[in-house]
Amino acid sequence: MGELRERVAGERRRLRQVRQVLTAAVAQGADGEHAFLTFYIAIGDYFEAAMKRLHIQDVRMGEMLRDKADMNEASNQQALTELDERLAGNQLCLINMLAARDALIEQGDTALDEFEIAGKAYSDYIVTSMGHHPGSTELAQRLFAVEDWTYMAEINEDDRLREEQLYTRVFTTVPAGLELPPEVKLIT
């Protein structure tokens, strides 16, 4: 179980780092600088892969909690309704950012502003709405056995390697003029 937790924690740390870099980049702005094009595409590719897996994990967690929790309790109903709402909002913001990434691929530098708007909206949503929330997190901690956590995480080697490669690509494409927050350091 310790190795599984570390893998999941590492994946979530890398996700946080990419989100922090996205936040810094859209706050600073590309100002038409071409180097941001490849960088923003790398960020979009990273989020597409990482969030697909994390979304599946979170949906699976919700399904498992509905099976294990007393769904007659209002607090459990509320926790899972909030989880569903957060996940739906995350998917909507992610779809918008990926459409803006696709615009970068198709239109080049002229779509930088569009990506920054969508990227800021997505980063803001992650900060305000995602992460650990007491309702569903506490339920999972109380109700899940080791096997449940393993099933929910379902980490396979190909997915892990792809996520790490995309993470590295984000950091190898950081434009020279981008000022990164001091807490952002490449995690391997």
Side-chain angles (χ1 to χ4, degrees), residues 87-183:
L87 294 178
N90 182 68
Q91 287 302 103
L92 179 60
C93 289
L94 177 61
I95 287 167
N96 291 338
M97 188 180 74
L98 294 177
R101 182 233 18 220
D102 292 346
L104 286 172
I105 294 168
E106 294 169 14
Q107 301 166 22
D109 294 348
T110 60
L112 286 169
D113 289 343
E114 178 184 345
F115 182 86
E116 289 179 343
I117 291 167
K120 181 180 183 330
Y122 189 46
S123 180
D124 289 349
Y125 188 83
I126 291 173
V127 169
T128 60
S129 300
M130 300 305 286
H132 292 285
H133 290 267
S136 55
T137 301
E138 289 172 6
L139 269 176
Q141 288 173 346
R142 191 171 71 239
L143 297 174
F144 285 0
V146 171
E147 300 81 31
D148 296 321
W149 288 106
T150 302
Y151 168 74
M152 187 189 79
E154 192 180 331
I155 294 175
N156 71 52
E157 192 63 15
D158 290 341
D159 289 339
R160 185 187 67 76
L161 288 172
R162 172 113 174 102
E163 184 267 337
E164 288 177 2
Q165 289 168 347
L166 291 170
Y167 170 83
T168 301
R169 192 171 113 214
V170 167
F171 283 89
T172 59
T173 60
V174 171
L178 179 59
E179 295 181 31
L180 297 178
E183 68 272 11

Side-chain angles (χ1 to χ4, degrees), residues 52-84:
K52 178 182 177 186
R53 284 196 15 74
L54 294 177
H55 184 74
I56 290 169
Q57 288 175 1
D58 289 342
V59 167
R60 192 174 288 142
M61 179 177 76
E63 291 169 351
M64 292 167 58
L65 286 174
R66 283 181 175 82
D67 288 343
K68 293 178 177 286
D70 180 356
M71 293 310 295
N72 292 318
E73 283 188 38
S75 63
N76 294 346
Q77 292 173 10
Q78 179 180 351
L80 291 170
T81 296
E82 290 172 358
L83 174 65
D84 292 342

